[in-house]
Amino acid sequence: MDPMKAQQLAAELEVEMMADMYNRMTSACHKKCVPPHYKEAELSKGEAVCLDRCVAKYLDLHERLGRKLTELSVQDEEVMRKAAAGTG
Amino acid sequence: MGALPSPRKTQEEKMIERGMESCAFKSLIACVGGFVLGGAFGVFTAGIDSNVGLDPKDPLRTPTAREVLRDMGQRGMSYAKNFAIVGAMFSCTECIIESHRGKSDWKNAVYSGCVTGGAIGFRAGLKAGVLGCGGFAAFSAAIEYYLR
């Protein structure tokens, strides 16, 4: 495939992935940190602290899982390549 | 990214907001508020009290207006300092406990009431500390129930 097109596709996928991650993170942290019964419009201190921690954990998790996934997929690729080179 | 377009906050606005939400600022506000309230309460109590200004060496002499006023001021100042300290302690511990738990409900006030009451009562011994903890915690719980 054309490298420019591949790059463009990769960039589009990245943007979509980021947007999806943002939406999931917002909904998960909202469910965890903000109790459904609203008494006032502003975030209280406890909720703000909880949201900070939730976002930090989510991003940390996302980064670690992404790294582990690329590691595993690189290993898989090597195995497949060796198998292809062996049979071919 | 984000939901609806809203005007971006400047750096100063963010810093001011962060300062106003900090535990130190909240306890400072509680301290000053407690001081004012304690002063008013002390002066009011001195107004009702019949022993204001009475000279302990000569209790039969009626005190002069200046003596009465000075005694009222002293009593007001003493109440003001006590209320300021209690208010600052309660607000500080409540803010710290709330930051630690990450939740905002009635239990924060009860825990910090126990800590404050316990700290105040502890100077007079362990049993007084436990009693102070229980009493202040119950008082805080009642106030929280009324407010929520």
Side-chain angles (χ1 to χ4, degrees):
Chain A
M1 208 201 280
D2 188 17
M4 272 280 287
K5 260 185 139 179
Q7 225 175 26
Q8 199 179 359
L9 195 64
E12 277 177 14
L13 282 174
E14 175 86 15
V15 163
E16 202 180 306
M17 204 181 66
M18 280 295 149
D20 181 57
M21 185 194 84
Y22 177 80
N23 282 329
R24 281 176 199 269
M25 179 170 73
T26 318
S27 105
C29 288
H30 186 87
K31 207 178 352 169
K32 269 188 194 294
C33 286
V34 179
H37 194 57
Y38 293 160
K39 290 174 202 79
E40 53 180 11
E42 306 207 343
L43 280 174
S44 69
K45 182 144 178 80
E47 291 162 358
V49 161
C50 178
L51 284 171
D52 285 342
R53 292 174 187 163
C54 179
V55 169
K57 281 199 176 166
Y58 199 99
L59 292 174
D60 192 17
L61 203 67
H62 181 87
E63 188 216 322
R64 280 182 200 230
L65 288 176
R67 231 181 319 135
K68 190 74 182 171
L69 201 64
T70 47
E71 237 178 71
L72 287 175
S73 73
V74 156
Q75 275 180 18
D76 269 351
E77 254 189 62
E78 295 233 353
V79 163
M80 296 237 311
R81 227 176 347 105
K82 282 196 192 136
T87 54
Chain B
M1 237 178 307
L4 303 164
S6 51
R8 291 260 168 85
K9 290 188 186 158
T10 61
Q11 200 61 25
E12 290 98 25
E13 256 190 55
K14 282 193 207 171
M15 263 182 10
I16 292 179
E17 267 194 31
R18 210 168 350 131
M20 294 217 296
E21 282 178 2
S22 68
C23 282
F25 187 76
K26 281 191 184 175
S27 57
L28 184 72
I29 294 272
C31 189
V32 169
F35 192 82
V36 169
L37 196 74
F41 193 69
V43 168
F44 174 71
T45 318
I48 300 183
D49 193 2
S50 58
N51 293 339
V52 178
L54 235 46
D55 194 356
K57 298 186 209 110
D58 186 10
L60 295 175
R61 179 177 63 92
T62 48
T64 63
R66 187 174 303 173
E67 285 175 7
V68 169
L69 282 173
R70 186 151 31 106
D71 204 20
M72 277 176 83
Q74 274 178 0
R75 199 174 291 199
M77 181 57 90
S78 134
Y79 270 68
K81 279 196 274 198
N82 277 326
F83 270 56
I85 291 178
V86 167
M89 267 176 63
F90 181 80
S91 171
C92 190
T93 49
E94 185 179 21
C95 188
I96 289 177
I97 290 175
E98 186 173 5
S99 305
H100 178 75
R101 287 180 75 222
K103 284 189 235 171
S104 164
D105 53 6
W106 57 273
K107 292 187 193 171
N108 294 326
V110 171
Y111 293 156
S112 68
C114 178
V115 168
T116 310
I120 295 177
F122 193 67
R123 288 150 134 239
L126 189 61
K127 199 153 49 147
V130 170
L131 218 68
C133 164
F136 211 116
F139 173 67
S140 292
I143 299 272
E144 280 291 310
Y145 178 73
Y146 177 69
L147 283 178
R148 287 181 191 257

